[in-house]
Amino acid sequence: MAELARITVEPREPLAAEVSRRLIDYLMSGEVQPGDRIPSERQLTEMLGVNRPTVREAIKSLGFLGLLEIRQSSGTYFRGADSDVLYRLFELGLVLGERGARDMVQARAELEVVVAGLAAQARDEAGVVLLRARLTAMRDCPDEEFPEADTAFHAALGELAGNAVLRDMLKGMRAMIQRGWVERTGAVRSREVAYADHVPIYEAVAKGDAEAARTAMARHMDGASRRLMEALEQREG
């Protein structure tokens, strides 16, 4: 059975979150197969060098996510990680600390650029009509509905691109970034800037210009990612 390294925690890192993340790495390492029983709470406490309540909290979190099955008087078992479980890991953001924000934001930005290019290549009349409607909604909706309209525009791009894996990955990433960091840091741009960013993306997709679509999305993601990173740095400072 694979060994678990003892925990070294940064001052601002919640201990249970770090334990959860370490357990996820362990479960996804390939050393543990679905149906296998994992070490007991006592063993994990000794392996990780943390207290038992922290281990128990981490196990409960992973049980809630569907990664672990806790059987009374029998132990805790790895259930496996299907696509639904992986999506919940992204969407809920229960086990990814602030340290992982930069990697998540960067990954999301790169994938959005790829999807924009694919959407331009795969566009059809119905898809362009839907994307135009999403852009119009961003322009005309009430302020409180703008974040949802913004997300709907990106979701329409994902549908138009025709790649279900990228679509679902980005859906989870957007939800996690919005709930995990944007709402906590207030890293939002003005509505006018946000809408203006999306116009050239729509125009490039409508024309079938994949390179222009990627360029426009990269410009949009660069500004959005920079604002979020700045907000995170201020929050951590």
Side-chain angles (χ1 to χ4, degrees):
M1 183 172 289
E3 290 294 326
L4 278 163
R6 292 175 72 85
I7 294 287
T8 300
V9 183
E10 298 177 0
R12 294 184 180 85
E13 182 73 16
L15 188 54
E18 174 65 14
V19 171
S20 296
R21 181 160 46 254
R22 197 64 61 86
L23 286 175
I24 287 174
D25 291 342
Y26 166 65
L27 295 170
M28 301 299 186
S29 68
E31 297 289 336
V32 188
Q33 299 302 313
D36 286 353
R37 185 170 64 181
I38 70 169
S40 67
E41 286 183 5
R42 180 183 59 78
Q43 291 171 317
L44 289 172
T45 295
E46 294 173 354
M47 289 174 168
L48 295 168
V50 297
N51 60 50
R52 197 159 178 171
T54 299
V55 169
R56 186 176 298 119
E57 181 181 349
I59 288 174
K60 286 182 179 178
S61 293
L62 299 190
F64 174 75
L65 288 170
L67 276 175
L68 296 176
E69 179 183 358
I70 303 169
R71 303 178 190 171
Q72 296 298 328
S73 303
S74 175
T76 302
Y77 294 79
F78 179 40
R79 297 183 61 183
D82 59 23
S83 58
D84 288 339
V85 170
L86 293 175
Y87 173 75
R88 286 196 294 274
L89 284 174
F90 275 126
E91 184 179 40
L92 296 176
L94 293 180
V95 294
L96 188 63
E98 300 290 349
R99 187 176 63 187
R102 289 163 181 79
D103 289 346
M104 178 64 70
V105 171
Q106 181 183 35
R108 184 258 172 126
E110 295 293 337
L111 291 181
E112 291 281 12
V113 170
V114 172
V115 164
L118 291 175
Q121 292 172 349
R123 85 199 191 291
D124 56 22
E125 183 177 354
V128 171
V129 169
L130 175 62
L131 198 61
R132 183 168 61 245
R134 295 287 186 264
L135 185 66
T136 300
M138 289 179 67
R139 183 191 65 195
D140 297 340
C141 71
D143 287 346
E144 62 272 15
E145 296 177 10
F146 185 81
E148 183 177 348
D150 187 336
T151 297
F153 178 93
H154 286 269
L157 276 177
E159 293 292 344
L160 191 53
N163 187 306
V165 173
L166 287 173
R167 179 199 64 200
D168 291 346
M169 287 176 66
L170 277 169
K171 180 180 179 181
M173 288 179 177
R174 292 185 201 112
M176 185 171 179
I177 289 169
Q178 177 67 31
R179 298 174 190 175
W181 294 293
V182 172
E183 291 177 0
R184 283 191 286 152
T185 63
V188 295
R189 60 205 179 282
S190 74
R191 175 171 178 165
E192 291 75 15
V193 170
Y195 173 76
D197 276 0
H198 289 74
V199 172
I201 298 171
Y202 162 74
E203 292 175 343
V205 171
K207 293 175 183 176
D209 190 336
E211 184 61 31
R214 287 191 289 266
T215 299
M217 181 62 80
R219 187 178 302 116
H220 168 50
M221 285 288 103
D222 180 64
S225 298
R226 185 178 63 254
R227 280 184 290 271
L228 181 54
M229 291 299 96
E230 289 171 353
L232 282 169
E233 288 171 3
Q234 290 174 2
R235 186 175 185 271
E236 293 172 357

